[in-house]
Each structure stands twice: as C-alpha cells, then as structure tokens.
Amino acid sequence: MRRAVIIGFALAIGLSSCSLLVGEDDKGDVVARVYDTRLYQEDLEEVMPSGLSKEDSAIWAQKYINNWGKEQLIIKKAEFNLADKEKDFEELVQQYRNDLLKFTYQERFVNEHLDTAISKEQILEYYNAHQSEFELKENILKLNYLVLNTETPDLAKVRRWFKSNKPEDRIELEDYAFHYARTSSFGDTSWVRYNDLSKFIPIQTYNQQEFLNHNKYVELNDSTSIYFVEILNYKIADDVSPLPYVQSTIKNIILNKRKQELIATMEERIVNDAYEKNDFEIY
C-alpha cells in the first residue's frame, strides 16, 4: 500500500536532516503531508517539549508525526465515507460555544459576587435542619494510639501510662512517645474512618460494630511492632454523622446553594432588563 505520509525532520530543532518540502505562509518547511494537508516545521516546534537531547527529539518527533498522519488519514477517510448529514456539526459546535460562553460568564459573575463567609451558626442551623442527609455510610471513631518497636524498653510502664487518666501519666507517655514511638497520636479530635485504621493499626475483625462496642483499650503486636489503641468515641453506620465530620461538606453545600441562587438572580435580572428595553419580545 502506497504511503500517504511524507516525513522529514528539521535541523533547527535538533532532528536528523531529511529532504523537506517547501513550506507556505512563512511557517517553515513541510515535515509531513497527508494528501493536501501539511504539517509544518513551525507546528512541530510549537509542541515539542523543551530540554530533549538530539536523539530524544528525533524519537519524539517521529512518534508525533506518525500520530498526526494517522489522525489526518482517519479524518480524510471519514470525510469521504460519511454522508453530508452525518458530517454536519455546525449546530453542535455552536451549542458547545454557547455553553462555554454561558459557563464562563456565570463563573466570573459568581467569583465577583459570591459571599463565601459562612458562620458556625449557619453550619449548625443547616446541620440541624438536614440531619437525615448526613447518615453515616460506615463506622467512624476517635482514638489515641501509640506504635512502638518490639524491643522498646519499659513496656509495663507504657501500658500503665496509656490506660491512666492522670495528667502526670499522660505527660510521661507523651515524653516517652517523643523518644521511642514509630508513630503516635494523643488528643486528636478528628474522626477517623474505621476502614482507614488498617493503614497504621492492624486491627482485624469480622464485625466492626461488635468490636467497637466491646473494646476500650486494645494492644496488638506483630513481628516488628507493638500497637496500643484507646477508643475514645465511635459512631456506627446508619447513625447521624457528627457535625465536625460533615462540616466541610455542609460548607460546600451552602456555597453551592448560594452560587445557584446568585446565578438564578443574575439571569432573572438580565431577562427583566431586556424586557424593559424591548430587547426581548415574545410575539
């Protein structure tokens, strides 16, 4: 089969020299052709990544030109074989342009006018009014944890400190963790997905709810580490999510609602203004 693509490389961009067709429109030499469609040296220079060696430039250009040629050939084949009505995309292109114009204007208008300040009271009000929307899909918990190497000293003291509520014991524990812990967390008020625990604590159970209901302190070990876990609080799937767990979601909901209201108000104002100026008439 006769090849339709004629390939050449320009020395000016570090490619192997080849015979080149004479270019048009001051775009430099022609480096490839498919029927009457040409790829110019300038086109290739504009898309070529910077910093490539001469050899890498040649490899990159070869691949680009081959892909360009294949695309042009398929387009030509489609042009030849498709009926006129199958190739008529003017309406789609116009609709796409209109959608982009509308979207871009809406985004600019929102960026200029949207009130992004959201108070704690507004978040709480929305949370209380829409709790059915915040049903938990999985178990979550708050916890303290400490991970030590198996050779770490004074484990008996660590066990006592970890289960103690005395402030002086917590100070001892945190100081010990600073010197010996592989990782630890104390006093973090964030809620954690139970399924994320496996990333740092190898807890294995077939019934998460049963485990949470019956364990306050957990000690585990494997070949390299000892794990201490204190479950501070937990919520079971189907419970209402605690407010801190969904606070960022509520903020996004409120902002999106404001955005939609702002756009609707803007559009209504445009229509009313057009009516008043007789720029919009319905016959």
Side-chain angles (χ1 to χ4, degrees), residues 41 52 69 143 149 154 171 179 197 206 219:
Q41 173 182 328
L52 296 180
L143 74 163
N149 293 322
D154 298 325
I171 293 173
H179 290 91
L197 276 181
Y206 292 105
E219 181 179 337

PDB file of all heavy atoms in Angstrom, residues 41 52 69 143 149 154 171 179 197 206 219:
ATOM      1  N   GLN A  41       7.211  22.727   9.912  1.00  0.00           N
ATOM      2  CA  GLN A  41       8.278  22.742  10.908  1.00  0.00           C
ATOM      3  C   GLN A  41       7.873  23.594  12.112  1.00  0.00           C
ATOM      4  O   GLN A  41       8.101  23.214  13.263  1.00  0.00           O
ATOM      5  CB  GLN A  41       9.553  23.310  10.274  1.00  0.00           C
ATOM      6  CG  GLN A  41      10.706  23.540  11.259  1.00  0.00           C
ATOM      7  CD  GLN A  41      11.894  24.146  10.568  1.00  0.00           C
ATOM      8  OE1 GLN A  41      12.146  23.878   9.396  1.00  0.00           O
ATOM      9  NE2 GLN A  41      12.629  24.975  11.288  1.00  0.00           N
ATOM     10  N   LEU A  52      14.990  18.292  25.422  1.00  0.00           N
ATOM     11  CA  LEU A  52      15.276  16.959  24.897  1.00  0.00           C
ATOM     12  C   LEU A  52      16.625  16.947  24.186  1.00  0.00           C
ATOM     13  O   LEU A  52      17.022  17.938  23.569  1.00  0.00           O
ATOM     14  CB  LEU A  52      14.183  16.522  23.918  1.00  0.00           C
ATOM     15  CG  LEU A  52      12.769  16.345  24.478  1.00  0.00           C
ATOM     16  CD1 LEU A  52      11.828  15.920  23.362  1.00  0.00           C
ATOM     17  CD2 LEU A  52      12.743  15.331  25.605  1.00  0.00           C
ATOM     18  N   GLY A  69      -0.153  11.910  11.270  1.00  0.00           N
ATOM     19  CA  GLY A  69      -0.516  11.336   9.980  1.00  0.00           C
ATOM     20  C   GLY A  69      -1.677  10.367  10.077  1.00  0.00           C
ATOM     21  O   GLY A  69      -2.595  10.387   9.249  1.00  0.00           O
ATOM     22  N   LEU A 143      -9.663   8.199  68.390  1.00  0.00           N
ATOM     23  CA  LEU A 143      -8.780   7.298  69.111  1.00  0.00           C
ATOM     24  C   LEU A 143      -7.455   7.957  69.442  1.00  0.00           C
ATOM     25  O   LEU A 143      -7.035   8.919  68.802  1.00  0.00           O
ATOM     26  CB  LEU A 143      -8.532   6.022  68.305  1.00  0.00           C
ATOM     27  CG  LEU A 143      -7.610   6.097  67.074  1.00  0.00           C
ATOM     28  CD1 LEU A 143      -7.162   4.702  66.672  1.00  0.00           C
ATOM     29  CD2 LEU A 143      -8.286   6.758  65.888  1.00  0.00           C
ATOM     30  N   ASN A 149       8.460  -0.109  68.515  1.00  0.00           N
ATOM     31  CA  ASN A 149       9.207  -1.296  68.121  1.00  0.00           C
ATOM     32  C   ASN A 149       9.119  -2.342  69.224  1.00  0.00           C
ATOM     33  O   ASN A 149       8.979  -2.013  70.404  1.00  0.00           O
ATOM     34  CB  ASN A 149      10.691  -0.936  67.869  1.00  0.00           C
ATOM     35  CG  ASN A 149      10.863  -0.036  66.663  1.00  0.00           C
ATOM     36  OD1 ASN A 149      10.175  -0.190  65.671  1.00  0.00           O
ATOM     37  ND2 ASN A 149      11.780   0.918  66.748  1.00  0.00           N
ATOM     38  N   ASP A 154      10.669  -0.712  78.881  1.00  0.00           N
ATOM     39  CA  ASP A 154       9.673  -0.236  79.853  1.00  0.00           C
ATOM     40  C   ASP A 154       8.239  -0.357  79.349  1.00  0.00           C
ATOM     41  O   ASP A 154       7.402   0.536  79.591  1.00  0.00           O
ATOM     42  CB  ASP A 154       9.960   1.219  80.242  1.00  0.00           C
ATOM     43  CG  ASP A 154      11.307   1.399  80.908  1.00  0.00           C
ATOM     44  OD1 ASP A 154      11.718   0.489  81.656  1.00  0.00           O
ATOM     45  OD2 ASP A 154      11.957   2.434  80.658  1.00  0.00           O
ATOM     46  N   ILE A 171       1.716  13.052  80.599  1.00  0.00           N
ATOM     47  CA  ILE A 171       2.971  13.746  80.303  1.00  0.00           C
ATOM     48  C   ILE A 171       4.098  12.746  80.118  1.00  0.00           C
ATOM     49  O   ILE A 171       4.908  12.852  79.187  1.00  0.00           O
ATOM     50  CB  ILE A 171       3.309  14.750  81.431  1.00  0.00           C
ATOM     51  CG1 ILE A 171       2.283  15.878  81.443  1.00  0.00           C
ATOM     52  CG2 ILE A 171       4.715  15.305  81.245  1.00  0.00           C
ATOM     53  CD1 ILE A 171       2.434  16.828  82.619  1.00  0.00           C
ATOM     54  N   HIS A 179      10.441  10.054  72.324  1.00  0.00           N
ATOM     55  CA  HIS A 179      11.749   9.413  72.211  1.00  0.00           C
ATOM     56  C   HIS A 179      11.700   8.058  71.510  1.00  0.00           C
ATOM     57  O   HIS A 179      12.672   7.668  70.841  1.00  0.00           O
ATOM     58  CB  HIS A 179      12.374   9.240  73.604  1.00  0.00           C
ATOM     59  CG  HIS A 179      12.810  10.528  74.236  1.00  0.00           C
ATOM     60  ND1 HIS A 179      11.982  11.272  75.055  1.00  0.00           N
ATOM     61  CD2 HIS A 179      13.983  11.212  74.145  1.00  0.00           C
ATOM     62  CE1 HIS A 179      12.622  12.357  75.457  1.00  0.00           C
ATOM     63  NE2 HIS A 179      13.833  12.348  74.926  1.00  0.00           N
ATOM     64  N   LEU A 197      -8.161   2.523  59.559  1.00  0.00           N
ATOM     65  CA  LEU A 197      -7.279   2.082  60.638  1.00  0.00           C
ATOM     66  C   LEU A 197      -6.196   1.131  60.161  1.00  0.00           C
ATOM     67  O   LEU A 197      -5.078   1.128  60.670  1.00  0.00           O
ATOM     68  CB  LEU A 197      -8.093   1.399  61.741  1.00  0.00           C
ATOM     69  CG  LEU A 197      -8.756   2.285  62.787  1.00  0.00           C
ATOM     70  CD1 LEU A 197      -9.492   1.423  63.788  1.00  0.00           C
ATOM     71  CD2 LEU A 197      -7.744   3.164  63.478  1.00  0.00           C
ATOM     72  N   TYR A 206     -14.270  -9.405  62.006  1.00  0.00           N
ATOM     73  CA  TYR A 206     -15.345  -9.634  61.039  1.00  0.00           C
ATOM     74  C   TYR A 206     -16.566  -8.774  61.342  1.00  0.00           C
ATOM     75  O   TYR A 206     -17.447  -8.620  60.512  1.00  0.00           O
ATOM     76  CB  TYR A 206     -15.734 -11.112  61.018  1.00  0.00           C
ATOM     77  CG  TYR A 206     -14.664 -12.006  60.459  1.00  0.00           C
ATOM     78  CD1 TYR A 206     -13.897 -12.811  61.291  1.00  0.00           C
ATOM     79  CD2 TYR A 206     -14.404 -12.045  59.089  1.00  0.00           C
ATOM     80  CE1 TYR A 206     -12.907 -13.629  60.778  1.00  0.00           C
ATOM     81  CE2 TYR A 206     -13.418 -12.857  58.567  1.00  0.00           C
ATOM     82  CZ  TYR A 206     -12.668 -13.654  59.417  1.00  0.00           C
ATOM     83  OH  TYR A 206     -11.688 -14.451  58.909  1.00  0.00           O
ATOM     84  N   GLU A 219      -4.432  -3.805  72.615  1.00  0.00           N
ATOM     85  CA  GLU A 219      -2.991  -3.961  72.428  1.00  0.00           C
ATOM     86  C   GLU A 219      -2.759  -5.087  71.434  1.00  0.00           C
ATOM     87  O   GLU A 219      -3.264  -6.202  71.609  1.00  0.00           O
ATOM     88  CB  GLU A 219      -2.285  -4.268  73.758  1.00  0.00           C
ATOM     89  CG  GLU A 219      -0.771  -4.409  73.598  1.00  0.00           C
ATOM     90  CD  GLU A 219      -0.056  -4.694  74.919  1.00  0.00           C
ATOM     91  OE1 GLU A 219      -0.626  -4.347  75.983  1.00  0.00           O
ATOM     92  OE2 GLU A 219       1.054  -5.259  74.884  1.00  0.00           O
TER      93      GLU A 219
END
